[in-house]
Amino acid sequence: MDLVPALEEPLRQPLKSVLGPATAKVMAEHLGLLTVGDLLHHYPRRYEERGQLTHLADLPMDEHVTVVAQVADARLHSFASAKAPRGKGQRLEVTITDGSGRLQLVFFGAGVHKPHKELLPGTRAMFAGKVSVFNRRLQLAHPAYELLRGDPEESVETWAGALIPIYPATAKLESWKIGKAIQTVLPTAQEAVDPLPDTLREGRGLVPLPEALLKIHRPHTKADIEDARSRLKWDEAFVLQVALARRRHTDAQLPAVPRKPAPDGLLTAFDARLPFTLTDGQQRVSREIFDDLATDHPMHRLLQGEVGSGKTMVALRAMLAVVDAGGQAAMLAPTEVLAQQHHRSIVEMMGELAEGGMLGGAEQATKVVLLTGSMGAAARRHALLDLTTGEAGIVIGTHALIEDKVQFHDLGLVVVDEQHRFGVEQRDALRGKGKQPPHLLVMTATPIPRTVAMTVFGDLETSVLDQLPSGRSPIASHVVPAADKPHFLSRAWERVREEVENGHQAYVVCPRIGDEEDDPKKSAKKKSPEDEAEKRPPLAVLDVADQLTKGPLQGLRVEVLHGRMHPDDKDAVMRRFAAGETHVLVATTVIEVGVNVPNATAMVIMDADRFGVSQLHQLRGRVGRGSAPGLCLLVTEMPEASPARQRLGAVAATLDGFELSRIDLEQRREGDVLGQAQSGARTSLKVLAVIEDEEIIAEAREEATAVVAQDPELTHLPALRTALDALLDEEREQYLEKG
C-alpha cells in the first residue's frame, strides 16, 4: 500500500530511476509493479535454505519455476543441423539433482560456453526457466542461473541470510534479480506508515509494518518469516474489511420505504395455493428478509443456498410482500434463457394471482411482465407502459431492465440472480430507478465458504438455505475415464437410453458450440500424438449431437441448445424439452443455472475436466429435481494421476456444495476465486489465504466494524485512510466488484 512519498516514488522516471530503466519497464509491464511501495509489497512466494534443495519431483508443467539444486554431471555433445551441417552444432546437457529427483538442463549453440565453464559437478546454483517435456523427461531449456557461492563481488548482504527468498517471477525477470532490486529499495521500508491503529497492533502483539517488511524480505530465521506474515495478513484483512464496513455503514444511512405485507393480501393468497409446506430453512430465511423489508433503510442481503434448495420460492415470497405493500419488484437474471425460465415458472406458481387486470384474474392479483433485449418493439412498449403505470407488480428481465428508458412506478425490491455475473455498477443503476433506494436481495447458487462471503460479499448480510425441499432425489455421480476405459463411455450412452425408455429425459453438456471458425495458422502445425490428446479442442455441441443421433442415441429425439441461437429458438427448444417432447438436450453451460425440468434424470458432461468444480456442481443440480433419482456422468480423457481427475473425483464423491467450494478454493489460486473481488485493488490479497486464515478475517471484520462505527470518516486514523485510498481509488470504494 503506497503510503508515503518515499514509497510512492515511481520505479521508472525520466531523470533518475530507482532501478535501471530496463528492469523498471519489465516490472511495470509483467508484474504490475510501478512504485517503491509496490515492490516492497511483492513478497517472496517461498524460501529456500542454503543447505537444502527444492523438490524437483513436484515441478509443475509449463510453469516458470525457480529451483535450487546441485549439478550432478555436465556433458557437451556435437551434432549436425541445418545451421551447422558439418557436425559443428553444440549442445550442453547438464543434470541437476536435489535427492528427490533429477532434472535435465539444455543449452545450445554459442550459449554453451559460459555454463560449460561454470556448471561443474558439485556446483550449487539457482536455476530459473519454463518446465517442458522432451523425450518424456522434464527439462529446462536455456535456463537463467545464479551460482550460490558468495563471491567477493556479490554484496555480502544478498547471500548472508541462510534463507533465500524466491519471488513470483516472469521469464523476463528472474527471482534473484527481483531480490536484488528489493534489496536496493529495502531501506525505504523504514518510512512505511502503519495503517493499523496502535491499540489493535499492540493488543494482538503484531510487529510494526517497517519491521514486517524487513523480515519478510530478509529473514534470518523462520520465526522472522512467521512474524512478518502474521502482521501482513492482518493488514490485508483489516484494510479490506474497513472498506466493506464503510460501505455497509453508508448503505445503512440511506432512507428506504418500509414494506410490510398486507395481512390478507397477495402473499397470504399465494401461500394458501401452495401444494406443499415450506422447509424450516425457507421459513427462517423468509422471516429474516421480511424483518429487513420492514425497516426504513435498504435491505442488503445475500441469499445463498445449495442447488435446488428453493431460493426462487423465497425470493418470490419477498417480491409478493413488496407488491402487497404497494411497491414493485424487479428480478434481474444473467441470461435471456434464465429470465424466460423464471418468468414461466413464477407465472405457473402464481396461477390466477399473476393475471392482474385480466378476466379470470384473482382479486389480489398483479401482473408479471418479462423484459429482455430481444423482445419485439410492440411487446416491449407494452411491458414498459405496465411498469410506468404500476399495473405490473413484478418484472423479470436481463440487463435490459437497467436501460435509461425503463421507468418504474414505485420500485421497492431488486432481486439479483447469480450475483457473480452482475457488477455493483449495474446494481446501483437499477437502485437509482426507485424514488428512494429499493431493498436488495442477491441470490447465488454457488455455495460460498463463510470467509469468502465475508471477503467478497462483505457489504451484504448473509442468509443460508442448506436444506433441500422434500421430494428431491439423491444424485449419483461417477467419473467415466473415456481414454483408459472406452467401454465405460459406451455404457454411459446405454444408461441414457435406459432413462429415456423409463419415460425420463437427459442432458449432454459440452464446453463448446462448434460453429467457430478454425484458425488455419493453428491447425497448420504438426503435433505429436501426446500433444494431440492434451491440446485437442474441447468437444462441441453440434459435433456431439450429430455423432449421437447417428450413433449410440439413434432413434431418440435429440435437440441442441447454445448461447448463439436466436432467443425465440432457444425458448422453443426449452419449451419442447420441458414438455417432454425432446428426449435428450445437447447443450453448452446455458443450462447451468435455474433451468428446472423435473423429468430430466440423467446428465452426461463431456470433457468434464474443462469445467470448474462449482460449475460442475451447478450443472449436476439440473437433474434429480423430481421424485426419480438423478445420475451425473463426468466424462474425461485425463490420465488417472492428473490433478484434473482428482478434481472430478472430489465432485463425484460429495453433493455438499460448501465442501466443494472449499476444495475449489484450495485448488485454484486465491486470486482466481476473488477475481475482481476488489476492483481497484491491484495489490489486494498476497499473503492472506481466504480458507486458512478464517479466524483473522472474522476478527478483522469485527475490529473494522467497531472502528468504522466510532469514526466513519477515519478522521483520527490518517494512515488507515491512506492505505484505504491505495486499495481503492476514491470513486471505486462504492464499487467493490463482486468477482
Side-chain angles (χ1 to χ4, degrees), residues 335-617:
T335 63
E336 293 209 346
V337 167
L338 201 52
Q340 288 162 340
Q341 191 81 28
H342 276 316
H343 181 253
R344 212 167 26 240
S345 63
I346 283 175
V347 168
E348 271 169 28
M349 283 196 268
M350 287 175 65
E352 72 269 19
L353 295 174
E355 295 169 359
M358 299 182 221
L359 277 173
E363 185 189 342
Q364 305 95 330
T366 185
K367 234 183 202 180
V368 180
V369 298
L370 176 68
L371 190 64
T372 61
S374 67
M375 278 168 80
R380 190 180 169 73
R381 235 188 348 264
H382 207 86
L384 289 173
L385 187 65
D386 283 344
L387 288 182
T388 318
T389 58
E391 185 86 5
I394 294 178
V395 58
I396 295 153
T398 53
H399 290 79
L401 281 178
I402 298 167
E403 289 171 17
D404 294 341
K405 293 191 209 66
V406 182
Q407 293 301 324
F408 289 85
H409 176 63
D410 178 14
L411 182 59
L413 170 66
V414 176
V415 179
V416 179
D417 189 12
E418 279 311 292
Q419 166 66 11
H420 58 275
R421 320 230 176 150
F422 276 103
V424 170
E425 287 91 337
Q426 286 121 318
R427 288 196 338 211
D428 283 1
L430 196 59
R431 242 190 225 170
K433 304 243 177 228
K435 296 188 178 75
Q436 287 195 331
H439 297 280
L440 175 73
L441 180 65
V442 171
M443 300 198 295
T444 174
T446 310
I448 307 168
R450 195 172 73 99
T451 40
V452 180
M454 278 196 277
T455 310
V456 183
F457 298 101
D459 60 332
L460 303 171
E461 299 299 326
T462 306
S463 295
V464 177
L465 273 178
D466 43 16
Q467 264 177 308
L468 289 187
S470 57
R472 273 302 165 89
S473 305
I475 305 170
S477 308
H478 304 284
V479 178
V480 177
D484 315 348
K485 299 179 176 162
H487 60 284
F488 275 34
L489 184 58
S490 314
R491 176 73 189 113
W493 301 125
E494 284 170 24
R495 283 291 289 113
V496 169
R497 289 194 87 96
E498 286 164 17
E499 290 298 312
V500 172
E501 280 159 17
N502 290 330
H504 297 302
Q505 292 158 280
Y507 297 98
V508 177
V509 182
C510 305
R512 209 165 54 101
I513 296 173
D515 56 1
E516 301 87 348
E517 286 295 307
D518 278 337
D519 184 343
K521 280 191 216 127
K522 283 185 187 162
S523 48
K525 286 186 189 156
K526 189 83 188 87
K527 296 194 177 105
S528 70
E530 286 92 346
D531 259 6
E532 284 300 321
E534 274 289 288
K535 301 276 165 38
R536 71 162 172 73
L539 291 169
V541 167
L542 301 176
D543 305 343
V544 169
D546 190 46
Q547 289 159 12
L548 292 176
T549 35
K550 292 175 181 164
L553 301 186
Q554 203 170 358
L556 300 186
R557 288 192 295 280
V558 177
E559 288 208 66
V560 300
L561 180 70
H562 58 74
R564 279 213 287 278
M565 287 164 63
H566 187 279
D568 293 349
D569 297 342
K570 280 193 259 192
D571 198 36
V573 168
M574 271 318 301
R575 276 174 192 278
R576 284 195 293 274
F577 190 65
E581 295 164 24
T582 307
H583 295 136
V584 179
L585 188 62
V586 183
T588 56
T589 53
V590 290
I591 61 156
E592 181 186 338
V593 284
V595 172
N596 185 18
V597 180
N599 192 44
T601 52
M603 175 176 284
V604 181
I605 304 179
M606 307 302 290
D607 279 343
D609 47 273
R610 313 254 181 161
F611 299 97
V613 170
S614 54
Q615 207 175 17
L616 291 168
H617 183 57

